[in-house]
Amino acid sequence: MKKNQVLDQRHRPLRDLRISVTDRCNFRCTYCMPKEIFGDDYQFLPKDHLLTFEEIVRLTKIFVELGVKKIKLTGGEPLLRKDVYKLIAMLSKIEGIHDIGLTTNGVYLKKYGSKLYEAGLRRLNISLDAIDDDTFRRLNGRDVSAKTVLANIDYAVSIGFSVKVNMVVQKGVNDHQILPMTEYFKNKGIPLRFIEFMDVGNTNGWNMKDVLIKKDIVKMISSVYSIEPIDENYFGEVAKRYRHQDTGSEIGFITSVSEPFCSSCTRARISSDGKLYTCLYAHEGFDLRDFIRSGKSPEEIKMAIERVWQNRKDQYSVERTENKGMLNKNKIEMSYIGG
Ligand code: SAM
């Protein structure tokens, strides 16, 4: 075992940290923050409940000592957090971090893209569930045109970002967009990843029958394009990757429903109010904000995080698949824990 490597009960090392910087979002995607629930009177976290940038940096340094090498900022919509580029600049200076990414719906990239790039960010995951305007406007719940996001993807690429596009596929909702999205991003040479619709949270009305699994998506794509699987880049890589044989453009699949990857899950998550979760499907977290605000030393915080990780046994997706259906009914919402 490497010097700074902490292992959980299933021998999984801690390598990645996803940090949610806000629970707010400018979209009301039907499967994530449906507007019937996240309406005008919804109580989002008050500002002083959010971790400050300084607190996030202090915690991140401790996570790096425990083996974390990759950071992803998420939310809610991370670009809604005021001056998030300043956080990127602070995180970029931490020694030991090899990679910082950010996941966004892309709407504010025109506005903040260059500041984020100057601050040191190089990787973006941009969520886009359809290029057909009617479908996309309906899905995002805010009548935002797909053209806005497509233009911002081009802009992000033009200023130097490495971009991947993520599409959550729901049967009968946007599966007719699989081939048009494949064609569009193949021509652009931008990796497109299909995410199986997951039973995160309790508000999205998830049902197994709405999930289009990787096998069926591959079949659909292969009926038109010649694609071939490519090898894993590293242990714990989330996406199963393929490439178009003619152009080499990549497509990937996040198969948390049909082929769970819990056994190689090396991710911890911090919610915007500073709770540590070791699974996207968890129902309770460990309050790091309380630790940090009550004056605990970095050493004490490190020991607490180490304990949480060492006790970790979770493998929700494996158990859900074995159970052939949803298990835990009190899961944390994706917008809160950070997707
Ligand atoms: N607002 C940012 C964005 O749009 O990328 C970051 C947060 S969002 C929760 C992160 C990702 O989670 C998005 O790609 C979103 O589509 C995905 N997501 C949300 N709910 C999901 C679900 N039930 N199943 C699969 N993916 C989901």
PDB file of all heavy atoms in Angstrom, residues 25 31-32 74-78 103-105 125 127 129 166 168 195-200 204 334-335 338-339, ligand 1:
ATOM      1  N   CYS A  25     -29.721  25.751  -9.158  1.00  0.00           N
ATOM      2  CA  CYS A  25     -29.500  25.533 -10.586  1.00  0.00           C
ATOM      3  C   CYS A  25     -30.423  26.430 -11.381  1.00  0.00           C
ATOM      4  O   CYS A  25     -31.538  26.741 -10.940  1.00  0.00           O
ATOM      5  CB  CYS A  25     -29.743  24.062 -10.941  1.00  0.00           C
ATOM      6  SG  CYS A  25     -29.197  23.657 -12.622  1.00  0.00           S
ATOM      7  N   TYR A  31     -35.844  15.275 -14.700  1.00  0.00           N
ATOM      8  CA  TYR A  31     -35.352  14.082 -13.996  1.00  0.00           C
ATOM      9  C   TYR A  31     -34.432  14.408 -12.827  1.00  0.00           C
ATOM     10  O   TYR A  31     -33.938  13.510 -12.164  1.00  0.00           O
ATOM     11  CB  TYR A  31     -34.620  13.162 -14.976  1.00  0.00           C
ATOM     12  CG  TYR A  31     -33.455  13.836 -15.651  1.00  0.00           C
ATOM     13  CD1 TYR A  31     -32.220  13.911 -15.032  1.00  0.00           C
ATOM     14  CD2 TYR A  31     -33.614  14.440 -16.890  1.00  0.00           C
ATOM     15  CE1 TYR A  31     -31.158  14.560 -15.638  1.00  0.00           C
ATOM     16  CE2 TYR A  31     -32.557  15.086 -17.507  1.00  0.00           C
ATOM     17  CZ  TYR A  31     -31.338  15.147 -16.873  1.00  0.00           C
ATOM     18  OH  TYR A  31     -30.281  15.798 -17.468  1.00  0.00           O
ATOM     19  N   CYS A  32     -34.174  15.687 -12.602  1.00  0.00           N
ATOM     20  CA  CYS A  32     -33.196  16.039 -11.573  1.00  0.00           C
ATOM     21  C   CYS A  32     -33.771  17.029 -10.562  1.00  0.00           C
ATOM     22  O   CYS A  32     -33.775  16.773  -9.365  1.00  0.00           O
ATOM     23  CB  CYS A  32     -31.946  16.612 -12.245  1.00  0.00           C
ATOM     24  SG  CYS A  32     -30.580  16.950 -11.125  1.00  0.00           S
ATOM     25  N   THR A  74     -18.918  20.654  -9.008  1.00  0.00           N
ATOM     26  CA  THR A  74     -20.235  20.389  -9.555  1.00  0.00           C
ATOM     27  C   THR A  74     -21.286  21.113  -8.721  1.00  0.00           C
ATOM     28  O   THR A  74     -20.984  22.024  -7.967  1.00  0.00           O
ATOM     29  CB  THR A  74     -20.443  18.851  -9.655  1.00  0.00           C
ATOM     30  OG1 THR A  74     -21.748  18.600 -10.155  1.00  0.00           O
ATOM     31  CG2 THR A  74     -20.275  18.139  -8.332  1.00  0.00           C
ATOM     32  N   GLY A  75     -22.541  20.682  -8.853  1.00  0.00           N
ATOM     33  CA  GLY A  75     -23.608  21.348  -8.106  1.00  0.00           C
ATOM     34  C   GLY A  75     -24.869  20.523  -8.203  1.00  0.00           C
ATOM     35  O   GLY A  75     -24.794  19.322  -8.488  1.00  0.00           O
ATOM     36  N   GLY A  76     -25.941  21.169  -8.128  1.00  0.00           N
ATOM     37  CA  GLY A  76     -26.424  22.436  -8.656  1.00  0.00           C
ATOM     38  C   GLY A  76     -25.651  22.848  -9.904  1.00  0.00           C
ATOM     39  O   GLY A  76     -25.011  22.033 -10.553  1.00  0.00           O
ATOM     40  N   GLU A  77     -25.749  24.083 -10.238  1.00  0.00           N
ATOM     41  CA  GLU A  77     -24.977  24.581 -11.386  1.00  0.00           C
ATOM     42  C   GLU A  77     -23.797  25.378 -10.833  1.00  0.00           C
ATOM     43  O   GLU A  77     -23.991  26.467 -10.287  1.00  0.00           O
ATOM     44  CB  GLU A  77     -25.871  25.429 -12.291  1.00  0.00           C
ATOM     45  CG  GLU A  77     -25.147  26.171 -13.387  1.00  0.00           C
ATOM     46  CD  GLU A  77     -24.160  25.302 -14.187  1.00  0.00           C
ATOM     47  OE1 GLU A  77     -24.497  24.179 -14.570  1.00  0.00           O
ATOM     48  OE2 GLU A  77     -23.014  25.766 -14.403  1.00  0.00           O
ATOM     49  N   PRO A  78     -22.574  24.835 -10.962  1.00  0.00           N
ATOM     50  CA  PRO A  78     -21.420  25.472 -10.316  1.00  0.00           C
ATOM     51  C   PRO A  78     -21.151  26.899 -10.784  1.00  0.00           C
ATOM     52  O   PRO A  78     -20.604  27.696 -10.021  1.00  0.00           O
ATOM     53  CB  PRO A  78     -20.251  24.543 -10.657  1.00  0.00           C
ATOM     54  CG  PRO A  78     -20.723  23.679 -11.743  1.00  0.00           C
ATOM     55  CD  PRO A  78     -22.193  23.589 -11.647  1.00  0.00           C
ATOM     56  N   THR A 103     -18.296  20.340 -14.016  1.00  0.00           N
ATOM     57  CA  THR A 103     -19.448  19.902 -14.803  1.00  0.00           C
ATOM     58  C   THR A 103     -20.524  20.976 -14.774  1.00  0.00           C
ATOM     59  O   THR A 103     -20.834  21.528 -13.740  1.00  0.00           O
ATOM     60  CB  THR A 103     -19.927  18.484 -14.379  1.00  0.00           C
ATOM     61  OG1 THR A 103     -21.217  18.269 -14.921  1.00  0.00           O
ATOM     62  CG2 THR A 103     -20.033  18.306 -12.913  1.00  0.00           C
ATOM     63  N   THR A 104     -21.045  21.282 -15.963  1.00  0.00           N
ATOM     64  CA  THR A 104     -21.925  22.444 -16.100  1.00  0.00           C
ATOM     65  C   THR A 104     -22.974  22.199 -17.174  1.00  0.00           C
ATOM     66  O   THR A 104     -22.752  21.398 -18.084  1.00  0.00           O
ATOM     67  CB  THR A 104     -21.098  23.703 -16.480  1.00  0.00           C
ATOM     68  OG1 THR A 104     -21.984  24.790 -16.773  1.00  0.00           O
ATOM     69  CG2 THR A 104     -20.208  23.475 -17.686  1.00  0.00           C
ATOM     70  N   ASN A 105     -24.086  22.929 -17.081  1.00  0.00           N
ATOM     71  CA  ASN A 105     -25.053  22.853 -18.179  1.00  0.00           C
ATOM     72  C   ASN A 105     -24.667  23.802 -19.314  1.00  0.00           C
ATOM     73  O   ASN A 105     -25.346  23.862 -20.337  1.00  0.00           O
ATOM     74  CB  ASN A 105     -26.481  23.112 -17.691  1.00  0.00           C
ATOM     75  CG  ASN A 105     -26.636  24.471 -17.014  1.00  0.00           C
ATOM     76  OD1 ASN A 105     -26.058  25.473 -17.452  1.00  0.00           O
ATOM     77  ND2 ASN A 105     -27.418  24.522 -15.944  1.00  0.00           N
ATOM     78  N   ASN A 125     -17.078  19.100 -18.386  1.00  0.00           N
ATOM     79  CA  ASN A 125     -18.119  18.171 -18.809  1.00  0.00           C
ATOM     80  C   ASN A 125     -19.375  19.005 -18.982  1.00  0.00           C
ATOM     81  O   ASN A 125     -19.829  19.646 -18.022  1.00  0.00           O
ATOM     82  CB  ASN A 125     -18.395  17.112 -17.740  1.00  0.00           C
ATOM     83  CG  ASN A 125     -17.290  16.091 -17.678  1.00  0.00           C
ATOM     84  OD1 ASN A 125     -16.583  15.863 -18.652  1.00  0.00           O
ATOM     85  ND2 ASN A 125     -17.113  15.498 -16.522  1.00  0.00           N
ATOM     86  N   SER A 127     -23.328  19.184 -19.895  1.00  0.00           N
ATOM     87  CA  SER A 127     -24.517  18.332 -19.985  1.00  0.00           C
ATOM     88  C   SER A 127     -25.432  18.845 -21.075  1.00  0.00           C
ATOM     89  O   SER A 127     -25.722  20.043 -21.132  1.00  0.00           O
ATOM     90  CB  SER A 127     -25.275  18.348 -18.652  1.00  0.00           C
ATOM     91  OG  SER A 127     -24.395  18.007 -17.612  1.00  0.00           O
ATOM     92  N   ASP A 129     -28.912  17.142 -23.147  1.00  0.00           N
ATOM     93  CA  ASP A 129     -29.713  15.929 -23.312  1.00  0.00           C
ATOM     94  C   ASP A 129     -30.396  15.815 -24.673  1.00  0.00           C
ATOM     95  O   ASP A 129     -31.028  14.806 -24.958  1.00  0.00           O
ATOM     96  CB  ASP A 129     -30.769  15.842 -22.196  1.00  0.00           C
ATOM     97  CG  ASP A 129     -30.111  15.704 -20.827  1.00  0.00           C
ATOM     98  OD1 ASP A 129     -28.997  15.162 -20.760  1.00  0.00           O
ATOM     99  OD2 ASP A 129     -30.701  16.162 -19.836  1.00  0.00           O
ATOM    100  N   ASN A 166     -22.192  15.243 -21.920  1.00  0.00           N
ATOM    101  CA  ASN A 166     -22.922  14.168 -21.241  1.00  0.00           C
ATOM    102  C   ASN A 166     -24.410  14.243 -21.544  1.00  0.00           C
ATOM    103  O   ASN A 166     -25.023  15.299 -21.376  1.00  0.00           O
ATOM    104  CB  ASN A 166     -22.772  14.296 -19.713  1.00  0.00           C
ATOM    105  CG  ASN A 166     -21.368  13.946 -19.260  1.00  0.00           C
ATOM    106  OD1 ASN A 166     -20.668  13.185 -19.926  1.00  0.00           O
ATOM    107  ND2 ASN A 166     -20.965  14.498 -18.137  1.00  0.00           N
ATOM    108  N   VAL A 168     -28.010  12.378 -20.570  1.00  0.00           N
ATOM    109  CA  VAL A 168     -28.779  11.393 -19.794  1.00  0.00           C
ATOM    110  C   VAL A 168     -29.907  10.896 -20.696  1.00  0.00           C
ATOM    111  O   VAL A 168     -30.667  11.698 -21.232  1.00  0.00           O
ATOM    112  CB  VAL A 168     -29.381  12.021 -18.517  1.00  0.00           C
ATOM    113  CG1 VAL A 168     -30.258  11.014 -17.777  1.00  0.00           C
ATOM    114  CG2 VAL A 168     -28.282  12.534 -17.605  1.00  0.00           C
ATOM    115  N   ILE A 195     -25.392   8.663 -20.411  1.00  0.00           N
ATOM    116  CA  ILE A 195     -25.544   8.289 -19.003  1.00  0.00           C
ATOM    117  C   ILE A 195     -26.868   7.562 -18.821  1.00  0.00           C
ATOM    118  O   ILE A 195     -27.926   8.078 -19.223  1.00  0.00           O
ATOM    119  CB  ILE A 195     -25.542   9.550 -18.091  1.00  0.00           C
ATOM    120  CG1 ILE A 195     -24.286  10.396 -18.350  1.00  0.00           C
ATOM    121  CG2 ILE A 195     -25.660   9.175 -16.637  1.00  0.00           C
ATOM    122  CD1 ILE A 195     -24.201  11.649 -17.491  1.00  0.00           C
ATOM    123  N   GLU A 196     -26.801   6.367 -18.252  1.00  0.00           N
ATOM    124  CA  GLU A 196     -28.055   5.663 -17.949  1.00  0.00           C
ATOM    125  C   GLU A 196     -28.794   6.435 -16.864  1.00  0.00           C
ATOM    126  O   GLU A 196     -28.192   6.858 -15.863  1.00  0.00           O
ATOM    127  CB  GLU A 196     -27.747   4.243 -17.467  1.00  0.00           C
ATOM    128  CG  GLU A 196     -27.199   3.366 -18.586  1.00  0.00           C
ATOM    129  CD  GLU A 196     -26.814   1.955 -18.133  1.00  0.00           C
ATOM    130  OE1 GLU A 196     -26.786   1.691 -16.912  1.00  0.00           O
ATOM    131  OE2 GLU A 196     -26.534   1.123 -19.011  1.00  0.00           O
ATOM    132  N   PHE A 197     -30.079   6.611 -17.075  1.00  0.00           N
ATOM    133  CA  PHE A 197     -30.940   7.325 -16.118  1.00  0.00           C
ATOM    134  C   PHE A 197     -30.886   6.591 -14.771  1.00  0.00           C
ATOM    135  O   PHE A 197     -31.153   5.393 -14.695  1.00  0.00           O
ATOM    136  CB  PHE A 197     -32.354   7.344 -16.697  1.00  0.00           C
ATOM    137  CG  PHE A 197     -33.391   8.008 -15.834  1.00  0.00           C
ATOM    138  CD1 PHE A 197     -33.103   9.157 -15.106  1.00  0.00           C
ATOM    139  CD2 PHE A 197     -34.688   7.487 -15.774  1.00  0.00           C
ATOM    140  CE1 PHE A 197     -34.071   9.775 -14.334  1.00  0.00           C
ATOM    141  CE2 PHE A 197     -35.663   8.094 -15.016  1.00  0.00           C
ATOM    142  CZ  PHE A 197     -35.357   9.235 -14.283  1.00  0.00           C
ATOM    143  N   MET A 198     -30.528   7.337 -13.718  1.00  0.00           N
ATOM    144  CA  MET A 198     -30.304   6.691 -12.416  1.00  0.00           C
ATOM    145  C   MET A 198     -31.389   7.054 -11.403  1.00  0.00           C
ATOM    146  O   MET A 198     -32.022   8.099 -11.498  1.00  0.00           O
ATOM    147  CB  MET A 198     -28.953   7.146 -11.846  1.00  0.00           C
ATOM    148  CG  MET A 198     -27.771   6.758 -12.696  1.00  0.00           C
ATOM    149  SD  MET A 198     -26.232   7.218 -11.909  1.00  0.00           S
ATOM    150  CE  MET A 198     -26.115   8.935 -12.256  1.00  0.00           C
ATOM    151  N   ASP A 199     -31.497   6.219 -10.402  1.00  0.00           N
ATOM    152  CA  ASP A 199     -32.507   6.426  -9.356  1.00  0.00           C
ATOM    153  C   ASP A 199     -31.944   7.259  -8.203  1.00  0.00           C
ATOM    154  O   ASP A 199     -32.175   6.941  -7.038  1.00  0.00           O
ATOM    155  CB  ASP A 199     -33.033   5.084  -8.849  1.00  0.00           C
ATOM    156  CG  ASP A 199     -31.920   4.145  -8.398  1.00  0.00           C
ATOM    157  OD1 ASP A 199     -30.800   4.267  -8.931  1.00  0.00           O
ATOM    158  OD2 ASP A 199     -32.165   3.295  -7.539  1.00  0.00           O
ATOM    159  N   VAL A 200     -31.226   8.305  -8.535  1.00  0.00           N
ATOM    160  CA  VAL A 200     -30.743   9.187  -7.467  1.00  0.00           C
ATOM    161  C   VAL A 200     -31.899  10.026  -6.914  1.00  0.00           C
ATOM    162  O   VAL A 200     -32.853  10.311  -7.632  1.00  0.00           O
ATOM    163  CB  VAL A 200     -29.633  10.151  -7.960  1.00  0.00           C
ATOM    164  CG1 VAL A 200     -28.294   9.486  -7.975  1.00  0.00           C
ATOM    165  CG2 VAL A 200     -29.967  10.725  -9.303  1.00  0.00           C
ATOM    166  N   ASN A 204     -37.490  12.239  -8.760  1.00  0.00           N
ATOM    167  CA  ASN A 204     -37.529  12.219 -10.230  1.00  0.00           C
ATOM    168  C   ASN A 204     -38.406  11.107 -10.804  1.00  0.00           C
ATOM    169  O   ASN A 204     -38.434  10.900 -12.010  1.00  0.00           O
ATOM    170  CB  ASN A 204     -36.114  12.185 -10.814  1.00  0.00           C
ATOM    171  CG  ASN A 204     -35.384  10.879 -10.519  1.00  0.00           C
ATOM    172  OD1 ASN A 204     -35.973   9.951  -9.977  1.00  0.00           O
ATOM    173  ND2 ASN A 204     -34.125  10.807 -10.880  1.00  0.00           N
ATOM    174  N   MET A 334     -29.627  14.683  -6.136  1.00  0.00           N
ATOM    175  CA  MET A 334     -28.415  14.891  -6.937  1.00  0.00           C
ATOM    176  C   MET A 334     -27.987  16.366  -6.928  1.00  0.00           C
ATOM    177  O   MET A 334     -26.797  16.685  -6.897  1.00  0.00           O
ATOM    178  CB  MET A 334     -28.721  14.463  -8.364  1.00  0.00           C
ATOM    179  CG  MET A 334     -27.584  14.567  -9.312  1.00  0.00           C
ATOM    180  SD  MET A 334     -26.639  13.070  -9.291  1.00  0.00           S
ATOM    181  CE  MET A 334     -26.512  12.697 -11.014  1.00  0.00           C
ATOM    182  N   SER A 335     -28.958  17.283  -6.962  1.00  0.00           N
ATOM    183  CA  SER A 335     -28.624  18.714  -7.017  1.00  0.00           C
ATOM    184  C   SER A 335     -27.928  19.156  -5.738  1.00  0.00           C
ATOM    185  O   SER A 335     -27.197  20.137  -5.714  1.00  0.00           O
ATOM    186  CB  SER A 335     -29.894  19.539  -7.216  1.00  0.00           C
ATOM    187  OG  SER A 335     -30.858  19.187  -6.248  1.00  0.00           O
ATOM    188  N   GLY A 338     -24.400  16.793  -5.535  1.00  0.00           N
ATOM    189  CA  GLY A 338     -23.508  17.104  -6.658  1.00  0.00           C
ATOM    190  C   GLY A 338     -23.353  15.905  -7.569  1.00  0.00           C
ATOM    191  O   GLY A 338     -22.927  14.843  -7.151  1.00  0.00           O
ATOM    192  N   GLY A 339     -23.734  16.093  -8.864  1.00  0.00           N
ATOM    193  CA  GLY A 339     -23.702  14.954  -9.809  1.00  0.00           C
ATOM    194  C   GLY A 339     -22.319  14.717 -10.362  1.00  0.00           C
ATOM    195  O   GLY A 339     -21.389  15.431 -10.107  1.00  0.00           O
TER     196      GLY A 339
HETATM  197  N1  SAM B   1     -25.518  21.581 -13.382  1.00  0.00           N
HETATM  198  C1  SAM B   1     -24.381  20.801 -13.763  1.00  0.00           C
HETATM  199  C2  SAM B   1     -24.663  20.028 -15.015  1.00  0.00           C
HETATM  200  O1  SAM B   1     -25.726  20.196 -15.613  1.00  0.00           O
HETATM  201  O2  SAM B   1     -23.788  19.270 -15.451  1.00  0.00           O
HETATM  202  C3  SAM B   1     -23.828  19.898 -12.680  1.00  0.00           C
HETATM  203  C4  SAM B   1     -24.770  19.147 -11.813  1.00  0.00           C
HETATM  204  S1  SAM B   1     -25.767  17.936 -12.627  1.00  0.00           S
HETATM  205  C5  SAM B   1     -26.612  17.247 -11.232  1.00  0.00           C
HETATM  206  C6  SAM B   1     -24.569  16.733 -13.101  1.00  0.00           C
HETATM  207  C7  SAM B   1     -25.019  15.674 -14.065  1.00  0.00           C
HETATM  208  O3  SAM B   1     -25.901  14.797 -13.425  1.00  0.00           O
HETATM  209  C8  SAM B   1     -25.734  16.189 -15.294  1.00  0.00           C
HETATM  210  O4  SAM B   1     -25.134  15.642 -16.445  1.00  0.00           O
HETATM  211  C9  SAM B   1     -27.125  15.631 -15.127  1.00  0.00           C
HETATM  212  O5  SAM B   1     -27.734  15.401 -16.367  1.00  0.00           O
HETATM  213  C10 SAM B   1     -26.845  14.364 -14.371  1.00  0.00           C
HETATM  214  N2  SAM B   1     -28.025  13.799 -13.693  1.00  0.00           N
HETATM  215  C11 SAM B   1     -28.899  14.417 -12.881  1.00  0.00           C
HETATM  216  N3  SAM B   1     -29.857  13.565 -12.459  1.00  0.00           N
HETATM  217  C12 SAM B   1     -29.580  12.364 -13.042  1.00  0.00           C
HETATM  218  C13 SAM B   1     -30.188  11.084 -13.016  1.00  0.00           C
HETATM  219  N4  SAM B   1     -31.299  10.846 -12.326  1.00  0.00           N
HETATM  220  N5  SAM B   1     -29.621  10.090 -13.721  1.00  0.00           N
HETATM  221  C14 SAM B   1     -28.495  10.302 -14.435  1.00  0.00           C
HETATM  222  N6  SAM B   1     -27.866  11.485 -14.498  1.00  0.00           N
HETATM  223  C15 SAM B   1     -28.399  12.506 -13.820  1.00  0.00           C
END
